[in-house]
C-alpha cells in the first residue's frame, strides 16, 4: 500500500485536538509519485478536510484514470470531533462522490449527504438509492450507530443489486478506526480482483474479527483501536 498524506492530526484515544493540512501542491506531488511508479489497483480516500485538497485528488484520479475508488466520507471522528468543513463537504459531493466505485458512509454521514433520516435498517434502501442518484456506483451503509443486538451493513449498487451483511453486535470500547479499516479492507480486496459484493463480505468478516479480538486488551482512556493483526497474532 502507498499513502498520500492529506493532513496530520494531533489525537489520541480520547479525541482530536488539531489538524494540519498538506498543501494542494504537495498532495499533487505525492499522487504523481505514486501513479507514475507503482500504479495502484485500488484507491481508498479517507479524511480530506478542505475543498482544495478534494479538487486536487479528483483532478489526479481523472488524470491517471484510477479504478476501484473507495470513498469513505470521513466527517466526524469516533470521539465526536468534526474533521471536515462545510465547503469541503460540498466539494466531496460534487467531485468525489461521482467517481466512487463504492461510497462507505456511516449513518450520520449518509444523513448529511442526503438530507434523509435513518431510524432503522428499513430506511437503508431509499438513502442508498439517493446516494447512487448523486453519482456513486455503489453504496455501503455502515450501521454501527443503530441500536440492537444485531448489526446489519447494507450494500446497494447502481444496477439495483443489494446485499445485507449481518453480525452480532460486540460490546467493546475499542472501536477506534472501524470505518477507516473497513473501507481500506474493501479497497484491498477490490485490488485483489474480487467483485464488489465479495470484497465487501471479506472486508466485513475481517473487521468483525478485528473488533472481536480488540476486546482482549485496553489501550488509552478513550476509544482504543481494533486489533488489525489478529489473524497473525498467536
Amino acid at each position: 500500500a502507498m499513502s498520500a498524506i492529506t493532513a496530520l492530526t494531533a489525537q489520541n484515544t480520547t479525541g482530536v485536538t488539531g489538524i494540519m493540512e498538506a498543501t494542494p501542491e504537495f498532495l499533487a506531488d505525492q499522487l504523481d509519485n505514486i501513479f507514475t511508479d507503482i500504479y495502484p489497483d485500488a484507491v481508498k480516500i479517507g479524511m480530506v478536510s478542505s475543498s482544495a485538497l478534494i479538487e486536487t485528488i479528483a483532478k489526479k484520479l481523472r488524470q491517471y484514470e484510477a479504478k476501484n475508488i473507495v470513498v469513505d466520507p470521513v466527517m466526524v471522528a469516533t470521539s465526536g470531533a468534526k474533521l471536515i468543513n462545510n465547503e469541503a463537504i460540498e466539494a466531496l459531493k460534487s467531485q468525489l462522490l461521482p467517481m466512487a466505485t463504492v461510497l462507505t458512509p456511516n449513518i450520520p454521514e449518509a444523513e448529511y449527504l442526503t438530507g434523509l433520516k435513518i431510524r432503522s435498517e428499513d430506511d437503508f434502501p431509499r438513502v442508498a438509492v439517493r446516494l447512487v442518484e448523486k453519482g456513486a456506483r455503489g453504496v455501503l451503509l455502515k450501521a454501527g450507530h443503530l441500536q440492537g443486538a444485531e448489526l446489519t451493513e447494507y450494500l446497494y449498487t447502481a444496477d439495483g443489486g443489494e446485499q445485507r451483511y449481518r453480525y452480532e453486535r460486540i460490546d467493546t470500547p475499542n472501536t477506534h478506526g472501524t470505518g477507516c479499516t473497513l473501507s481500506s479492507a474493501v479497497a484491498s480486496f477490490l485490488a485483489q480482483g474480487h467483485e464488489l459484493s465479495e470484497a465487501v463480505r471479506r472486508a466485513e468478516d475481517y473487521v468483525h474479527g478485528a473488533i472481536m479480538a480488540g476486546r482482549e486488551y485496553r489501550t488509552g482512556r478513550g476509544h482504543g483501536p481494533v486489533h488489525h493483526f489478529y489473524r497473525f497474532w498467536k
Side-chain angles (χ1 to χ4, degrees):
M2 293 152 290
S3 296
I5 305 301
T6 64
L8 299 177
T9 63
Q11 66 172 299
N12 57 25
T13 64
T14 65
V16 178
T17 60
I19 299 173
M20 184 173 68
E21 295 179 357
T23 65
E25 294 77 15
F26 183 62
L27 177 58
D29 193 19
Q30 292 180 79
L31 291 169
D32 285 335
N33 276 276
I34 289 171
F35 278 96
T36 58
D37 186 23
I38 307 175
Y39 190 92
D41 294 307
V43 175
K44 176 268 174 86
I45 303 168
M47 189 198 90
V48 189
S49 54
S50 77
S51 59
L53 293 173
I54 288 173
E55 290 164 4
T56 297
I57 292 170
K59 177 182 177 181
K60 290 300 178 182
L61 294 183
R62 287 192 294 266
Q63 176 182 341
Y64 292 109
E65 300 180 345
K67 57 187 178 180
N68 292 324
I69 300 171
V70 180
V71 178
D72 188 14
V74 179
M75 298 178 184
V76 180
T78 302
S79 62
K82 189 175 181 181
L83 301 174
I84 183 171
N85 62 42
N86 292 336
E87 183 183 359
I89 292 173
E90 292 306 310
L92 185 151
K93 290 163 67 174
S94 65
Q95 297 285 324
L96 294 183
L97 198 152
M99 303 180 74
T101 301
V102 62
L103 184 74
T104 63
N106 60 29
I107 287 174
E109 292 160 352
E111 289 180 334
Y112 196 100
L113 291 170
T114 62
L116 300 173
K117 289 295 183 183
I118 300 175
R119 295 179 175 83
S120 73
E121 67 174 271
D122 293 337
D123 296 319
F124 284 172
R126 68 189 181 99
V127 172
V129 167
R130 179 70 61 85
L131 290 168
V132 165
E133 288 174 347
K134 291 179 180 292
R137 296 195 294 279
V139 177
L140 175 61
L141 291 174
K142 299 177 290 192
H145 288 77
L146 291 179
Q147 301 299 311
E150 191 176 62
L151 186 70
T152 301
E153 314 271 75
Y154 178 77
L155 175 67
Y156 179 80
T157 53
D159 60 4
E162 60 179 355
Q163 193 159 341
R164 296 176 192 262
Y165 307 84
R166 301 186 187 276
Y167 297 89
E168 174 189 359
R169 185 179 294 274
I170 302 166
D171 183 17
T172 175
N174 294 336
T175 56
H176 191 117
T178 48
C180 298
T181 300
L182 178 62
S183 56
S184 296
V186 171
S188 297
F189 287 117
L190 287 173
Q192 292 177 24
H194 296 289
E195 295 296 327
L196 179 58
S197 61
E198 178 63 13
V200 171
R201 185 192 68 77
R202 289 172 179 256
E204 291 279 3
D205 287 348
Y206 164 71
V207 173
H208 186 73
I211 297 171
M212 286 280 289
R215 297 178 304 171
E216 300 174 5
Y217 62 93
R218 180 72 179 177
T219 301
R221 295 182 293 108
H223 294 280
V226 300
H227 195 330
H228 293 95
F229 305 108
Y230 72 98
R231 288 180 173 174
F232 309 102
W233 196 271
K234 302 296 182 183

